[in-house]
């Protein structure tokens, strides 16, 4: 079973950290849908230290979300260490995760995120410095390398282990790939063989069957799911159930999706107020209704409104329209 330091998960299914997505509203839903571990969206070390109000809010962890991993990023040892101390001493998070995978130029150009993947010594130094000053277990999330010519996942994971890191999550893509191509799961297997700390495999797990295959073919201790859970927390629940029983639960019907979508919206409103929540929810609405006939028309309508009640009305009339069509088809 997946255990990171003293933190034991009830199953190996991990919700990936996703910026702009993994706030307490969605994380709690992911937890209610059975995820063994939820990861928060990344927070900048400097923003924590400058006490940026928005970033400090990102450190809030609801008791019901636990166990939870809170991810920080930064390019400078001093600020990273100080920010880790804040997370250690002042938050309810169970695990401190360091981002070594973020590919976007805004992050890599300040030597943070995936930039470290070129330098196992730097990884050792940074992780050791953080481990030294905190009590919570420290983990690292990394891509497999910077580019095809520099795939140092094994050496980098060994550096994390030597430095006292308690687990490593590996996304089987390089930084240069961004989200192109398919994730290489064999590198996850190689990392698992090379270290004694838990390894969490990540990349392109789109179905519960994929999750099982990743765990079986790589030997990984956990499976991390990102995009497949967007607008689809059922993916987490179905994966947990499939891994435990071999049974594949049915996909949710539209009404169930909209019920959860509105719960998600209401939790976001509690967190950020209606104005911000409604705007942020637009991308989620698109994900919740993706693939359903007529979804793009509904998406356009939802994007025009700023009121929770109107959005709710639009979505439930869509449900009724679809249910009526299904009745006719029967
Ligand atoms: C919208 C979005 C935001 C992301 N934000 C983060 C982040 O804050 N920290 C991080 O380590 N990875 C981040 N990622 C990468 C994911 O955690 C994950 O590694 C990647 O999506 C591959 O997994 P998947 O194929 O299951 O989506 C993000 C991915 C997406 C799609």
């Amino acid at each position: 079973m997946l255990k990171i330091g003293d933190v034991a998960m009830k199953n190996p299914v991990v919700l990936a950290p996703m910026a702009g997505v993994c706030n307490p509203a969605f994380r709690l839903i992911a937890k209610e849908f059975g995820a063994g571990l939820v990861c928060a969206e990344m927070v900048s070390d400097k923003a924590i230290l400058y006490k940026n109000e928005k970033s400090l809010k990102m450190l809030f962890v609801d008791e019901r979300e636990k166990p939870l991993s809170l991810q920080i990023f930064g390019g400078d040892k001093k600020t990273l260490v100080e920010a880790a101390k804040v997370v250690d001493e002042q938050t309810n998070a169970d695990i401190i995760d360091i981002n070594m995978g973020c590919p976007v130029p805004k992050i890599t150009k300040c030597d943070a995120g995936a930039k470290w993947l070129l330098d196992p010594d730097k990884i050792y130094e940074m992780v050791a410095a953080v481990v030294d000053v905190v009590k919570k277990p420290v983990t690292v999330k990394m891509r497999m390398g910077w580019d095809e010519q520099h795939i140092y996942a094994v050496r980098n994971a060994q550096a994390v282990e030597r430095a006292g890191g308690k687990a490593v999550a590996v996304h089987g893509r390089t930084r240069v790939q961004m989200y192109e191509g398919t994730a290489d799961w064999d590198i996850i297997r190689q990392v698992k063989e090379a270290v004694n700390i838990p390894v969490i495999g990540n990349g392109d797990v789109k179905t519960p069957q994929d999750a099982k295959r990743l765990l079986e073919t790589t030997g990984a201790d956990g499976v991390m799911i990102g995009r497949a859970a967007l607008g689809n927390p059922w993916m987490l629940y179905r994966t947990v159930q499939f891994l435990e029983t071999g049974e594949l639960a049915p996909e949710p019907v539209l009404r169930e999706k909209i019920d959860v979508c509105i719960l998600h919206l209401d939790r976001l409103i509690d967190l950020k107020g209606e104005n911000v929540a409604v705007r942020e929810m637009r991308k989620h609405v698109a994900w919740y209704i993706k693939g359903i006939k007529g979804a793009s028309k509904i998406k356009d309508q939802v994007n025009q409104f700023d009121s929770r009640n109107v959005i709710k009305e639009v979505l439930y009339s869509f449900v009724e329209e679809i249910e009526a069509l299904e009745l006719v088809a029967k």
Side-chain angles (χ1 to χ4, degrees):
M1 202 35 80
L2 180 60
K3 193 170 178 210
I4 298 176
D6 287 339
V7 185
M9 269 46 80
K10 62 178 198 263
N11 64 60
V13 177
V14 180
L15 173 71
M18 288 185 279
V21 174
C22 294
N23 49 43
F26 186 62
R27 293 186 321 235
L28 185 54
I29 287 175
K31 193 36 82 68
E32 288 163 350
F33 275 80
L37 176 66
V38 295
C39 298
E41 53 192 333
M42 60 181 183
V43 192
S44 144
D45 59 350
K46 294 204 168 62
I48 294 175
L49 298 178
Y50 297 155
K51 301 202 178 348
N52 171 296
E53 198 191 335
K54 200 169 143 210
S55 300
L56 290 184
K57 277 196 184 147
M58 287 162 87
L59 301 183
F60 170 74
V61 177
D62 186 314
E63 196 60 35
R64 293 169 295 172
E65 302 177 61
K66 287 160 73 68
L68 173 136
S69 166
L70 205 150
Q71 187 183 65
I72 54 174
F73 73 94
D76 178 22
K77 185 160 85 182
K78 198 159 166 273
T79 49
L80 192 77
V81 164
E82 289 306 314
K85 267 200 217 165
V86 173
V87 175
D88 195 51
E89 290 162 9
Q90 300 175 30
T91 79
N92 205 4
D94 300 276
I95 295 166
I96 302 173
D97 187 47
I98 305 176
N99 179 306
M100 292 186 202
C102 187
V104 303
K106 194 176 114 191
I107 308 292
T108 55
K109 83 170 188 292
C110 17
D111 267 355
K115 199 62 190 282
W116 297 2
L117 300 175
L118 289 165
D119 190 350
D121 292 339
K122 174 152 186 188
I123 292 182
Y124 174 82
E125 193 190 319
M126 298 290 242
V127 176
V130 171
V131 167
D132 243 15
V133 298
V134 300
K135 292 199 190 72
K136 299 185 199 280
V138 175
T139 60
V140 167
K141 175 158 176 284
M142 58 172 64
R143 285 189 172 231
M144 67 177 178
W146 179 261
D147 58 21
E148 276 300 302
Q149 285 71 47
H150 301 88
I151 297 184
Y152 299 160
V154 167
R155 269 192 282 164
N156 289 341
Q158 285 170 329
V160 170
E161 180 174 34
R162 259 189 298 122
K166 292 287 188 284
V168 61
V170 182
H171 176 192
R173 278 195 178 80
T174 63
R175 184 269 166 181
V176 166
Q177 272 182 294
M178 302 293 277
Y179 286 93
E180 299 294 320
T182 43
D184 177 353
W185 291 354
D186 194 57
I187 197 79
I188 300 167
R189 182 190 61 76
Q190 291 173 38
V191 169
K192 174 64 193 168
E193 277 178 11
V195 296
N196 293 310
I197 51 176
V199 174
I200 298 167
N202 171 235
D204 294 347
V205 172
K206 296 182 184 133
T207 62
Q209 295 94 320
D210 287 343
K212 186 163 196 276
R213 201 161 45 82
L214 183 144
L215 289 169
E216 283 175 358
T217 57
T218 67
D221 306 271
V223 56
M224 179 180 274
I225 299 173
R227 290 165 296 171
L230 294 173
N232 187 14
W234 291 267
M235 170 63 187
L236 302 165
Y237 156 76
R238 294 173 76 237
T239 300
V240 171
Q241 208 190 40
F242 186 66
L243 293 176
E244 278 169 8
T245 67
E247 275 164 33
L248 203 52
E251 300 266 10
V253 296
L254 182 60
R255 185 172 289 277
E256 291 171 90
K257 289 188 180 188
I258 299 304
D259 290 346
V260 172
C261 180
I262 298 298
L263 172 71
H264 189 166
L265 171 60
D266 285 342
R267 285 187 175 157
L268 262 189
I269 291 173
D270 288 345
L271 211 60
K272 306 191 175 196
E274 184 166 1
N275 240 334
V276 176
V278 159
R279 272 156 228 278
E280 199 171 306
M281 199 61 201
R282 288 175 183 162
K283 63 185 180 212
H284 292 284
V285 169
W287 288 324
Y288 277 103
I289 63 178
K290 199 171 121 192
I292 294 165
K293 200 163 174 280
S296 79
K297 186 187 79 195
I298 299 301
K299 205 178 76 184
D300 290 346
Q301 279 181 27
V302 164
N303 289 351
Q304 287 167 23
F305 299 116
D306 294 331
S307 143
R308 177 256 182 209
N309 288 346
V310 177
I311 290 172
K312 186 176 169 191
E313 245 172 64
V314 169
L315 289 173
Y316 278 109
S317 39
F318 182 44
V319 171
E320 274 155 28
E321 203 181 297
I322 295 289
E323 286 178 350
L325 281 175
E326 282 168 358
L327 261 185
V328 171
K330 276 181 194 162

